[in-house]
């Protein structure tokens, strides 16, 4: 019986050793095949970095050369006016062109004399010589003003200088008549003047009797 147990134990020992040997072989890694070509792992290709898109460059602005300003053209109004004045009366002293009023500032005035008999038309703005008389109520065009006088044109086409204080915007015939009558009454020498005769006879009812009588006597004496 003891011999049988020993055999069984021996067989178990052999079986155990065989089993361990088999496990050792299965766990030993297979030797690498040195003849096999190595597996080449391709390197990762770097993605190309996109180049930045250039910002659009604004086209340079064209160089504009400014055209030279045209020379101012002289307004013929001024030269034509001075030529007209000189042609009408060479005695009139002409102003400078830049002293003339622009066309839209030319003034229309009326004569309102201090004595109702009109005012003098002279050849210069100062110390002028008499060219004639502009009647009371006459319309004049004023082209320039220098001191106390202005360069004027009368309705009958005469040019000259006249006293500005005796030119008004609106003529007053009643004032003109009063001034004329007062002047006549105060100047006895004019009662017999032929230049006053028509005025005296026309307004005889409004004048002193002695004025009317003197005018009539002088007129009758002149006819005889």
């Amino acid at each position: 019986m003891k011999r049988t147990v020993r055999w069984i134990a021996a067989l178990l020992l052999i079986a155990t050793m065989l089993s361990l040997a088999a496990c050792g072989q299965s766990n030993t890694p297979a030797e690498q095949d040195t003849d096999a070509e190595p597996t080449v792992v391709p390197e990762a290709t770097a993605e190309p970095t996109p180049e930045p898109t250039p910002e659009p460059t604004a086209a340079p602005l064209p160089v504009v050369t400014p055209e030279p300003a045209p020379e101012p053209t002289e307004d013929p109004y001024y030269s034509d006016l001075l030529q007209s004045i000189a042609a009408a009366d060479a005695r009139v002293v002409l102003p400078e062109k830049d002293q003339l009023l622009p066309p839209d500032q030319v003034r229309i005035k009326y004569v309102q004399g201090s004595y109702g008999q009109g005012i003098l038309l002279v050849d210069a703005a100062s110390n002028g010589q008499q060219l004639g008389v502009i009647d009371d109520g006459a319309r004049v065009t004023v082209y320039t003003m220098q001191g106390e006088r202005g360069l004027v044109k009368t309705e009958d086409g005469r040019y000259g200088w006249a006293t500005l204080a005796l030119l008004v915007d609106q003529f007053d015939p009643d004032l003109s008549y009063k001034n004329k009558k007062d002047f006549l009454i105060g100047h006895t020498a004019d009662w017999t003047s032929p230049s006053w005769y028509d005025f005296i006879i026309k307004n005889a009812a409004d004048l002193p009797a002695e004025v009317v009588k003197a005018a009539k006597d002088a007129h009758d004496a002149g006819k005889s």
Side-chain angles (χ1 to χ4, degrees), residues 191-192 197 200-201 204 207-221:
W191 295 358
T192 58
Y197 179 77
I200 293 172
I201 298 303
L207 294 171
E210 60 268 27
V211 175
V212 178
K213 183 177 185 305
K216 286 182 177 180
D217 290 345
H219 181 70
D220 292 342

Side-chain angles (χ1 to χ4, degrees), residues 33-217:
D33 186 357
T34 56
D35 294 334
E37 294 185 3
T39 302
V40 179
V41 178
E43 293 184 4
T45 304
E47 291 290 333
T49 303
E51 299 210 358
T53 303
E55 293 289 333
T57 303
L61 296 175
V63 178
V64 178
T65 304
E67 295 185 3
E71 291 292 329
T73 304
E74 182 180 2
D75 190 337
Y77 163 78
Y78 300 98
S79 56
D80 289 351
L81 175 59
L82 294 177
Q83 289 176 8
S84 297
I85 297 171
D89 194 334
R91 296 172 295 173
V92 177
V93 177
L94 300 176
E96 298 295 329
K97 289 182 182 180
D98 58 2
Q99 293 176 323
L100 293 170
L101 295 171
D104 59 348
Q105 295 182 23
V106 168
R107 304 180 181 183
I108 301 300
K109 297 285 185 177
Y110 297 87
V111 174
Q112 189 83 64
S114 299
Y115 305 110
Q117 302 172 74
I119 61 176
L120 295 178
L121 184 68
V122 296
D123 63 357
S126 61
N127 301 322
Q129 300 299 312
Q130 181 177 342
L131 298 177
V133 175
I134 314 174
D135 293 335
D136 250 31
R139 179 178 180 269
V140 298
T141 302
V142 182
Y143 292 106
T144 187
M145 295 170 285
Q146 294 184 23
E148 296 181 353
R149 290 197 176 110
L151 178 65
V152 303
K153 179 183 180 182
T154 65
E155 289 182 289
D156 57 3
R158 293 178 293 157
Y159 289 93
W161 296 84
T163 302
L164 292 169
L166 302 177
L167 300 178
V168 296
D169 293 329
Q170 186 172 356
F171 175 65
D172 184 346
D174 294 335
L175 176 60
S176 179
Y177 171 74
K178 179 182 181 302
N179 290 341
K180 195 169 188 178
K181 183 179 74 170
D182 292 346
F183 176 85
L184 175 64
I185 293 173
H187 294 76
T188 55
D190 289 323
W191 295 358
T192 58
S193 170
S195 62
W196 280 92
Y197 179 77
D198 290 341
F199 176 81
I200 293 172
I201 298 303
K202 180 180 179 180
N203 299 285
D206 195 33
L207 294 171
E210 60 268 27
V211 175
V212 178
K213 183 177 185 305
K216 286 182 177 180
D217 290 345

Side-chain angles (χ1 to χ4, degrees), residues 12-25:
L12 288 175
L13 178 60
I14 294 171
T16 300
M17 290 177 66
L18 290 173
S19 175
L20 290 174
C23 290
Q25 289 180 356

